[in-house]
Amino acid sequence: RAETVDYYYRAGGPTYGWDKTVLGGIEVVPVPGDHASIMLGANAARIARRLGQAIEEVTTRAIRTGVDR
């Protein structure tokens, strides 16, 4: 989530309302910048790194519990 949030996104809270839709919870990872800059340079690298970690965590958990989906 961009640390700088445009006023029209603030009503959804830190998860923009996704916490009401996604099963299993949401992890909010603050990223410097705003909506237009979070996928540029170091910000994009930070997001990619955290997504890679999350995928590894879920894959490891699935293998350990025998879940293949």
Side-chain angles (χ1 to χ4, degrees):
R1 170 174 189 226
E3 289 179 346
T4 304
V5 179
D6 292 329
Y7 74 94
Y8 45 85
Y9 291 117
R10 291 188 183 151
T15 66
Y16 303 131
W18 281 103
D19 57 324
K20 295 170 183 59
T21 305
V22 176
L23 297 176
I26 299 267
E27 176 186 0
V28 176
V29 178
V31 177
D34 60 19
H35 184 76
S37 67
I38 62 172
M39 294 305 286
L40 300 174
N43 295 341
R46 183 176 182 177
I47 291 171
R49 191 169 42 254
R50 184 58 195 113
L51 281 172
Q53 291 168 346
I55 291 168
E56 181 65 31
E57 291 166 10
V58 169
T59 302
T60 301
R61 190 175 327 133
I63 291 169
R64 191 173 1 147
T65 61
V67 175
D68 63 355
R69 298 177 204 202

